[in-house]
Amino acid sequence: MFSKFDVLETIEMIEREHLDIRTVTLGVSLLPCIRESAEKTASAVYDCVMKKAENLVPVAEALSKEYGIPIVNKRVSVTPVSLVTAAFPEKSGLVGRALDQAASELGIDFLGGYSALVQKGTANYEKTFLETIPDVLSSTQRLCSSVNVGSSKSGINMDAVRMMGEIVKKTAELTADKDGLGCCKLVIFCNAVEDNPFMAGAFHGVSEGDAVINVGVSGPGVVHHALKDKKNADLTEAAEIIKKTAFKITRAGQLIAKEASRRLGIPFGIVDLSLAPTPARGDSVAHILEELGLERVGGHGTTAALAMLNDAVKKGGLMASSRVGGLSGAFIPVSEDIGMIEAAEAGKISVDKLEAMTAVCSVGLDMIAIPGDTPATTISAMIADEAAIGMINNKTTAVRVIPVPDKKVGDEVQFGGLLGRAPVMRVHDGDASIFVARGGLIPAPVHSFKN
């Protein structure tokens, strides 16, 4: 039974501390939709999503109203489209646009899975598929794309890394009228997970069932508020406070996930207990780190504080849900976190420091605006660096950068909504083109040889 205190505490979390269910994501397998032509496959894909997800938005809205917990996003993830269109990869865009149409008609916020898994090699059909990404992202509204270029088991596919630098640049150019917005829907992974409910990196893994419900919770404001009341706590005590708070946040996610699963008649998958910030004040991961004693996020001590936060969140959340998965950590997207935005504007945080921080958290160099004239090879090198951190440390890392056309360091761009705003940040001007052009496979680390 819930006590009166529990009820009042939950109300406080929702009304003043920005507790929400960030997303209820329905994963859908598209493998049964494969037909003899692209046109017939696209039609089958559209019908499948329309049928499987027809009640997702109404059920989520009803749960939000009944339980009083905001459910911010209703999303769908699908089987990596490159697998579905392998027989006609040049026409993959037909499937992508069918998915976008279904998402629009159903009121889905984002649909993820215009994706490819090329961590060990790039087949001809996958290469052709990758080349369709810029055009498809620039001509759709809700479709998201992800590409996995490395893993701890297989190494880093540098040929795919080179391609993705070029694809990021082209996507930005095709959406120049929106400050490169297409790149906000494109993420490049190492060690991508199959049950991630967060965009832009969500896809429905091939080892999953026909459909599954995954939920992502978020509560940076709740954690921040809990620490505010314990100014004199040492770091051991602070970690314990974060653990207990993460437990409470995750229990709310478990409740919504199980009830959504029951009402939709779709199996429950996982709760992703990541701390996902928003541009709203009071909902910042950066401000949690500053509450721990840093004058400004980005200074010395930031990585240690983030490591402690990430670990405590995981420890608390693991005890609160029957199935924890996805990414489950603290996100540090620059444009989506008011504390990160302000630190970047003040010149207190750099891309180098963000890279170091990704070694201890989820997920990577995320939502970073960079100068529009940044060479594609520099973007590829950034992807390679981040993938190396993931590969060596056996964790998920990713890159989502936006080379904003016609913008330079110090300019600011507005993406809107949860995507927020971002100052254009400096990148190194050293030439990495010869390194990137070498191609090949960076071998997996020695610890990958386990059976």
Side-chain angles (χ1 to χ4, degrees):
M1 291 291 292
F2 290 107
S3 68
K4 181 179 179 181
F5 175 78
D6 291 329
V7 174
L8 292 174
E9 183 181 46
T10 303
I11 292 172
E12 176 87 357
M13 288 180 179
I14 294 167
E15 292 187 348
R16 296 182 56 187
E17 301 167 16
H18 301 278
L19 172 65
D20 60 54
I21 304 300
R22 185 54 49 85
T23 179
V24 175
T25 301
L26 168 63
V28 177
S29 175
L30 298 184
L31 295 178
C33 301
I34 299 173
R35 303 290 187 269
E36 66 272 18
S37 71
E39 292 77 10
K40 290 182 179 180
T41 298
S43 178
V45 162
Y46 170 83
D47 291 341
C48 176
V49 173
M50 291 297 291
K51 182 177 180 181
K52 292 281 188 181
E54 63 179 342
N55 294 318
L56 177 62
V57 172
V59 165
E61 291 178 345
L63 287 172
S64 181
K65 184 176 181 180
E66 290 174 30
Y67 288 95
I69 302 176
I71 299 176
V72 180
N73 287 289
K74 282 69 70 176
R75 298 167 173 168
V76 169
S77 63
V78 298
T79 307
V81 171
S82 68
L83 302 177
V84 178
T85 62
F88 32 80
E90 69 284 350
K91 294 185 176 181
S92 297
L94 292 176
V95 173
R97 293 182 183 93
L99 289 168
D100 191 64
Q101 180 183 349
S104 177
E105 293 179 13
L106 291 169
I108 301 300
D109 296 290
F110 286 108
L111 188 149
Y114 199 78
S115 306
L117 309 176
V118 292
Q119 57 266 27
K120 196 170 185 180
T122 312
N124 287 334
Y125 75 87
E126 290 166 328
K127 182 177 183 294
T128 301
F129 171 84
L130 294 178
E131 291 170 345
T132 70
I133 290 175
D135 178 62
V136 172
L137 289 185
S138 65
S139 59
T140 54
Q141 301 298 315
R142 303 168 191 240
L143 188 66
C144 294
S145 177
S146 60
V147 178
N148 194 63
V149 298
S151 75
S152 297
K153 192 71 175 175
S154 63
I156 302 171
N157 179 354
M158 287 300 294
D159 294 314
V161 168
R162 176 187 54 76
M163 279 192 71
M164 291 314 300
E166 296 167 357
I167 287 166
V168 169
K169 281 283 287 187
K170 187 173 181 181
T171 302
E173 291 163 2
L174 290 178
T175 53
D177 60 328
K178 300 177 182 177
D179 287 332
L181 183 65
C183 294
C184 297
K185 301 186 294 173
L186 172 60
V187 59
I188 301 97
F189 276 114
C190 178
N191 289 322
V193 297
E194 295 187 323
D195 54 5
N196 170 20
F198 288 100
M199 299 295 169
F203 64 87
H204 186 70
V206 293
S207 67
E208 300 276 0
D210 290 333
V212 68
I213 290 291
N214 296 322
V215 166
V217 296
S218 182
V222 181
V223 175
H224 185 198
H225 186 83
L227 290 171
K228 270 187 173 182
D229 294 334
K230 303 291 182 180
K231 296 286 188 184
N232 296 321
D234 65 23
L235 292 177
T236 304
E237 294 167 331
E240 194 66 22
I241 292 166
I242 295 167
K243 281 168 54 180
K244 292 177 179 177
T245 307
F247 179 90
K248 296 172 185 176
I249 295 168
T250 307
R251 290 300 283 178
Q254 172 87 358
L255 172 66
I256 295 297
K258 296 288 283 187
E259 190 61 19
S261 170
R262 185 185 69 80
R263 296 189 188 190
L264 290 167
I266 293 172
F268 162 57
I270 57 92
V271 173
D272 186 324
L273 49 94
S274 298
L275 290 182
T278 72
R281 192 163 297 280
D283 201 24
S284 165
V285 169
H287 287 164
I288 296 174
L289 304 181
E290 291 169 1
E291 189 62 41
L292 288 169
L294 302 176
E295 180 181 5
R296 181 63 66 89
V297 67
H300 297 301
T302 298
T303 305
L306 183 59
M308 187 269 280
L309 171 65
N310 205 55
D311 181 66
V313 166
K314 290 178 184 289
K315 287 175 177 174
L318 281 170
M319 297 299 294
S321 176
S322 58
R323 293 183 189 173
V324 170
L327 301 169
S328 290
F331 288 176
I332 53 170
V334 173
S335 78
E336 299 175 6
D337 184 311
I338 186 62
M340 292 290 181
I341 294 168
E342 292 173 345
E345 288 175 335
K348 300 297 185 181
I349 195 164
S350 65
V351 172
D352 287 343
K353 186 59 177 180
L354 287 164
E355 181 182 308
M357 292 165 67
T358 63
V360 299
C361 76
S362 299
V363 172
L365 297 176
D366 196 17
M367 288 302 292
I368 299 172
I370 60 176
D373 60 0
T374 303
T377 50
T378 298
I379 297 172
S380 293
M382 295 170 73
I383 295 169
D385 283 345
E386 198 61 33
I389 291 173
M391 176 183 71
I392 295 296
N393 292 293
N394 199 30
K395 70 184 294 291
T396 303
T397 54
V399 171
R400 185 167 48 150
V401 295
I402 305 98
V404 187
D406 302 320
K407 299 290 186 180
K408 61 183 184 302
V409 174
D411 291 340
E412 185 172 278
V413 290
Q414 297 277 351
F415 298 120
L418 288 176
L419 298 177
R421 62 183 174 88
V424 177
M425 299 181 68
R426 187 182 306 279
V427 298
H428 289 288
D429 57 8
D431 185 10
S433 58
I434 294 175
F435 171 71
V436 171
R438 284 178 178 269
L441 186 76
I442 293 180
V446 66
H447 63 65
S448 68
F449 298 102
K450 297 177 181 178
N451 289 305

